[in-house]
Amino acid sequence: MYLPQEIIKLKRNGGQLSTAAIQQFVNGLTDGSFSEGQIAALAMSIYLNGMATEETVALTRAMRDSGAVLNWRGKLDGPVVDKHSTGGVGDKVSLMLAPMVAACGAYVPMIAGRGLGHTGGTVDKLETIPGYSCTQPLEKIQAEVARLGCVIVGQSGELAPADRRLYLIRDVTATVESIPLITASILSKKLAAGLDVLTMDVKIGSGAIMKNIDDASALATSIVNTAKGAGVPTQALLTDMNECLGATAGNVLEVLETLDYLTGKYREPRLHQVTLELGASMLQLAGLQPDKASAIAALEHSLSSGKAAEIFAKMVAALGGPVDLMEKPELYLGTAPVVQDIVLPAELAGKGQFLAASDTVAVGMAVVRLGGGRAHPAQVIDPVVGFSDVKPLGSKVAAGDVIARVHAASVEAAAKASSEYLAALTLSADAVTLSPIVHKIID
């Protein structure tokens, strides 16, 4: 048994914490025996001095075990898999990927989060569907996963409660960016879902938390090694977030794009590629497909057969949403009072004829200022605002072309957001070489 200050001192001085010391710290998070000041001090010590892989594994396991851990043994006839993204702008991949992978024989208990800062949140998107509840008891989650193949819900208070207290303190003590603490926070929640395998989508680029490949690789390596150390085979894909993913950014708009994707009405090429890449990783890790080509073929069949769309529709109905959302989305998903074209002005077009780069964080923050995201966790969002019909980088454009549409609560808000969107763009006189969808894979 250690005193809290002994644990803090050891890590402050660059030492390695024992599993017992880490377990005591996590116990202190949940039973209150560590004060907020002591938690903040240890978090800062970890931020400054890092953790060995063994320490991060011990912290992840202890935080996972601080609450309930779902046990699927003997209840399912296939592997339990999930995907987690570090977040970006327009990232609605989870909404289509979960039912697609379920249609291929896996079970997906996806525990999702809300948006904060410039990144959107899967829970916020789903809660724009009338009646859909992301707050479900564990028994309901397990029953519907077994019946349908997937559910997408928010974090239950029963799963990894230690993480909630630690994250709130990290958020106000400038220790959010610590790779060991990010790793333990992500994995404690994911592994509490009882996964057999996990695929990580680590975003990289102008709209990501990790701006360069070195930082993204460090985070991905930490997550992969820690998850493996905790007994869950994991692969990380470093995927591009140098522009909005798909054609929309904003909660209702992204749900509508998801419905179009699942039904085959429209599949934006970059969004489709990253969805297939992540899904192929999940199916191969789970042993459901022998190689990437067969995995992608199975995912494409889940779409062409209509099975993925059917599973999504059943999931929506099972969690309180309308039974006919796929057929009649206009009855349930609202529209903004003001919808305007964003037109490329002559002065910007004079700088070049190709869309060369985007300050994607600025685009995400424009959605937040429209009311579609949160500046603080308690803020109520406006679900219908955002951007649609987004032209991808590499597009050839001219003065007067519509390069996106803005959805806003007022004419004034639309004008401001349009200006912010245009200011985020860089044009080039020459055709541009686009970033690859997948920058790197870490096993």
Side-chain angles (χ1 to χ4, degrees):
M1 190 75 172
Y2 304 88
L3 293 172
Q5 51 266 44
E6 292 177 312
I7 297 173
I8 295 165
K9 182 178 179 181
L10 177 59
K11 180 48 67 176
R12 182 201 68 188
N13 292 341
Q16 184 164 328
L17 300 178
S18 67
T19 298
I22 289 169
Q23 184 63 62
Q24 186 181 332
F25 167 60
V26 172
N27 291 344
L29 286 169
T30 54
D31 66 18
S33 58
F34 269 62
S35 69
E36 289 196 0
Q38 289 168 330
I39 295 167
L42 185 54
M44 184 59 75
S45 298
I46 293 169
Y47 175 84
L48 294 173
N49 294 309
M51 281 183 137
T53 298
E54 296 81 4
E55 290 176 286
T56 311
V57 170
L59 179 60
T60 298
R61 282 178 164 162
M63 289 170 59
R64 174 198 66 188
D65 295 339
S66 66
V69 178
L70 298 182
N71 182 1
W72 303 99
R73 194 170 293 112
K75 299 175 183 177
L76 304 174
D77 59 1
V80 181
V81 308
D82 199 1
K83 182 273 305 181
H84 180 80
S85 169
T86 55
V89 178
D91 184 1
K92 71 280 293 176
V93 170
S94 291
L95 301 182
M96 56 274 288
L97 186 60
M100 288 168 65
V101 172
C104 294
Y107 291 89
V108 189
M110 188 172 282
I111 311 299
R114 298 188 181 279
L116 186 62
H118 75 280
T119 65
T122 299
V123 168
D124 295 324
K125 293 162 193 173
L126 286 170
E127 287 187 345
T128 67
I129 302 170
Y132 192 108
S133 174
C134 286
T135 304
Q136 299 289 343
L138 297 183
E139 296 78 10
K140 174 75 168 176
I141 293 171
Q142 290 186 289
E144 295 303 339
V145 167
R147 184 173 74 91
L148 301 174
C150 72
V151 297
I152 309 175
V153 293
Q155 185 184 355
S156 163
E158 300 169 77
L159 298 178
D163 175 65
R164 266 195 316 283
R165 187 177 183 211
L166 178 57
Y167 185 83
L168 288 172
I169 292 171
R170 287 170 57 212
D171 194 34
V172 296
T173 56
T175 53
V176 168
E177 295 87 352
S178 163
I179 284 180
L181 295 178
I182 293 171
T183 298
S185 179
I186 290 171
L187 290 179
S188 62
K189 297 188 288 285
K190 287 295 177 182
L191 302 190
L195 303 182
D196 294 318
V197 299
L198 173 66
T199 291
M200 278 298 305
D201 181 8
V202 178
K203 298 297 186 189
I204 178 173
S206 68
I209 296 170
M210 300 297 172
K211 305 296 184 188
N212 61 66
I213 199 162
D214 289 340
D215 290 345
S217 296
L219 176 59
T221 300
S222 175
I223 291 171
V224 167
N225 290 342
T226 300
K228 287 180 177 178
V232 177
T234 297
Q235 184 178 70
L237 279 66
L238 276 59
T239 69
D240 189 65
M241 186 43 70
N242 280 303
E243 59 180 303
C244 175
L245 185 56
T248 59
N251 295 295
V252 158
L253 298 172
E254 292 184 48
V255 172
L256 288 167
E257 186 172 5
T258 298
L259 301 184
D260 286 347
Y261 182 99
L262 289 171
T263 58
K265 184 177 179 181
Y266 175 69
R267 294 179 187 138
E268 195 275 330
R270 291 177 66 257
L271 175 62
H272 188 44
Q273 185 180 345
V274 77
T275 302
L276 293 177
E277 294 275 359
L278 293 166
S281 169
M282 295 166 76
L283 294 179
Q284 290 176 91
L285 277 177
L288 290 171
Q289 295 294 336
D291 53 48
K292 181 176 175 180
S294 60
I296 287 177
L299 292 162
E300 293 276 22
H301 181 70
S302 79
L303 294 169
S304 63
S305 67
K307 190 172 181 182
E310 178 185 352
I311 291 173
F312 184 85
K314 288 181 177 178
M315 179 188 73
V316 168
L319 300 184
V323 297
D324 56 350
L325 176 69
M326 305 295 289
E327 296 79 17
K328 302 174 182 176
E330 69 281 355
L331 292 182
Y332 303 107
L333 301 175
T335 56
V338 176
V339 181
Q340 292 182 353
D341 293 340
I342 301 178
V343 176
L344 187 68
E347 59 269 25
L348 187 55
K351 298 180 180 179
Q353 57 182 337
F354 294 95
L355 297 180
S358 167
D359 180 347
T360 312
V361 168
V363 173
M365 291 309 298
V367 176
V368 172
R369 281 187 282 273
L370 280 167
R374 293 181 180 83
H376 55 81
Q379 185 174 338
V380 177
I381 63 171
D382 184 343
V384 298
V385 301
F387 299 108
S388 69
D389 303 278
V390 172
K391 274 194 179 295
L393 296 184
S395 297
K396 189 174 183 179
V397 293
D401 284 356
V402 176
I403 55 173
R405 304 187 86 201
V406 60
H407 301 244
S410 68
V411 172
E412 294 76 16
K416 187 173 189 302
S418 296
S419 295
E420 291 172 346
Y421 188 91
L422 290 167
L425 296 177
T426 299
L427 272 72
S428 169
D430 301 314
V432 296
T433 300
L434 299 177
S435 299
I437 294 293
V438 177
H439 290 255
K440 189 176 181 181
I441 296 175
I442 295 177
D443 294 298

